[in-house]
Amino acid sequence: MLPFSQFDPAGQLRHLITLDGLTSDQIRGLIERAQHFLRAPGVEPARSHELAGITVANLFNEPSTRTRSSFELAARRLGADVLNIEIQLSSRVKGETVLDTIYTLQSMAVDVFVIRDAEPGVGQFVAEHVQDHVSVLSAGEAHLSHPTQGLLDALTILQYKGGFRDLVIAVIGDVRHSRVARSAYQVFSALEVGELRIVAPDALMPEPSEMPGAVRFNSLEAGIAHADVVMTLRVQKERMAEAAIPDPHDYHAAWGLTRARLKLARPEAIVMHPGPVNRDIEIASDVADGPHSVIRQQVTNGVAVRMAVLETVIANRRQRQGLR
Ligand code: NCD
């Protein structure tokens, strides 16, 4: 068997499991396409019939609000049929294997599987087994990867900062357990950001071999100094042993992004967070809601990015099938 590739024989994106291996041009192409789907607040959202006749199934085996709703809205706004499978309520709990679930849905003409799973490797495993015309998109894989989040974060930075090369970006908090941070690292490396900092207590730092090129800080004050972009992360309690979970008050005291700490960043710095926000733990409520926060814009951008990814994999499929 050939090694797994997200790309089809023509080198076009078929699956999106990771941002690793995407070129800067491919990333910029997706972000640019996403911008076409953005509308001013109060204006009706962008719609098209690009995905008419296509069926998208959301298979989420971990909680999700933003990612799942935005994949669903993205697919619907492009005219697709959408199925939401609650894994907890599906036959998986009766012992059906992942692949049997996939084959069952494939028999109902599902074209795109959107998969979130706490276990590493599920997305790729499914992608290796589906029919040639079917695509698999990751909506979050364990602590490893969250590619559409990486793209929406890059789009958000582009909107507010106009580029990447001159920026200092500080990713703060539980980097060790964060798929958001890993996809951010991949996207920011491909886009050649000026300086990428990972800022975390020692216990929440990734392994030394991970994220080469990023500058590590184990003090929030030092790591945030003169940053243009401050990205905060939720403490991933679900990926930690009970004993390792930090006390929320202690964590906020040492690692919470407060107004006073934000003053150390550049005056026009933006504050990002993938959500869900744990108010007054990793970020003070008044910072999350404050003038530097672009958290709600990240959510808006999530729909646009997922529309761009869905449209791209289906356009590539039609090209493979000679339909375009
Ligand atoms: C994140 C996730 O689930 O990876 N949320 C998201 O998708 N926007 C981050 C988190 O859960 O902390």
Side-chain angles (χ1 to χ4, degrees):
M1 206 164 83
L2 288 169
F4 174 73
S5 170
Q6 310 191 101
F7 299 96
D8 65 19
Q12 307 284 3
L13 199 65
R14 176 182 163 196
H15 307 292
L16 185 60
I17 307 295
T18 171
L19 294 176
D20 202 12
L22 264 68
T23 64
S24 148
D25 282 351
Q26 286 165 327
I27 289 168
R28 284 175 194 275
L30 288 167
I31 294 174
E32 223 160 82
R33 188 62 205 146
Q35 284 176 301
H36 289 272
F37 296 119
L38 291 171
R39 296 290 181 273
V43 175
E44 264 186 40
R47 279 178 198 281
S48 86
H49 299 289
E50 257 331 279
L51 262 63
I54 295 292
T55 303
V56 176
N58 284 326
L59 272 75
F60 278 62
N61 198 13
E62 271 195 319
S64 176
T65 300
R66 279 148 287 269
T67 307
R68 209 191 73 164
S69 323
S70 59
F71 262 114
E72 177 170 356
L73 286 174
R76 287 191 195 282
R77 287 177 185 167
L78 293 170
D81 295 330
V82 181
L83 258 181
N84 289 311
I85 307 291
E86 302 295 341
I87 300 284
Q88 314 304 335
L89 303 178
S90 77
S91 290
R92 277 271 283 280
V93 293
K94 297 185 190 167
E96 186 171 69
T97 66
V98 181
L99 274 191
D100 280 334
T101 304
I102 296 292
Y103 291 150
T104 299
L105 295 169
Q106 204 174 241
S107 301
M108 300 180 197
V110 167
D111 301 280
V112 180
F113 290 100
V114 177
I115 296 183
R116 168 171 287 194
D117 212 288
E119 219 182 287
V122 173
Q124 178 177 329
F125 179 70
V126 171
E128 285 169 334
H129 287 84
V130 289
Q131 290 170 301
D132 286 347
H133 63 279
V134 174
S135 291
V136 178
L137 307 178
S138 169
E141 174 187 1
H143 62 291
L144 291 173
S145 148
H146 196 349
T148 54
Q149 180 74 41
L151 294 171
L152 78 87
D153 287 338
L155 170 57
T156 307
I157 292 170
L158 185 64
Q159 277 173 338
Y160 287 91
K161 297 290 165 196
F164 301 94
R165 281 175 197 258
D166 299 325
L167 298 183
V168 175
I169 302 181
V171 180
I172 299 178
D174 184 6
V175 183
R176 185 182 186 87
H177 301 101
S178 174
R179 54 190 174 210
V180 173
R182 285 182 178 76
S183 285
Y185 170 79
Q186 289 166 347
V187 82
F188 298 151
S189 303
L191 295 170
E192 298 181 33
V193 301
E195 185 177 323
L196 179 59
R197 300 177 179 174
I198 50 180
V199 186
D202 291 335
L204 301 180
M205 272 287 176
E207 291 300 317
S209 58
E210 277 196 274
M211 306 190 186
V215 190
R216 293 175 181 230
F217 290 85
N218 60 6
S219 139
L220 200 161
E221 284 75 11
I224 203 176
H226 312 296
D228 299 284
V229 175
V230 180
M231 184 187 281
T232 46
L233 300 169
R234 184 176 65 87
V235 176
Q236 306 275 300
K237 290 179 229 160
E238 69 274 33
R239 304 189 208 288
M240 295 177 192
E242 193 75 26
I245 298 174
D247 173 81
H249 297 288
D250 295 349
Y251 189 83
H252 189 67
W255 286 94
L257 182 64
T258 58
R259 274 201 298 189
R261 287 176 172 146
L262 184 58
K263 287 209 170 84
L264 301 168
R266 286 205 190 280
E268 67 289 358
I270 56 169
V271 172
M272 303 173 68
H273 191 301
V277 169
N278 284 149
R279 287 174 178 269
D280 299 318
I281 301 182
E282 69 270 5
I283 185 167
S285 235
D286 59 1
V287 175
D289 300 329
H292 295 267
S293 172
V294 298
I295 296 173
R296 295 194 186 140
Q297 187 61 39
Q298 288 176 271
V299 177
T300 300
N301 290 344
V303 181
V305 155
R306 286 159 186 137
M307 287 175 85
V309 171
L310 282 164
E311 188 195 64
T312 299
V313 296
I314 294 303
N316 294 344
R317 158 183 158 169
R318 290 184 178 136
Q319 215 163 50
R320 284 199 300 283
Q321 294 174 325
L323 298 176
R324 280 257 161 98

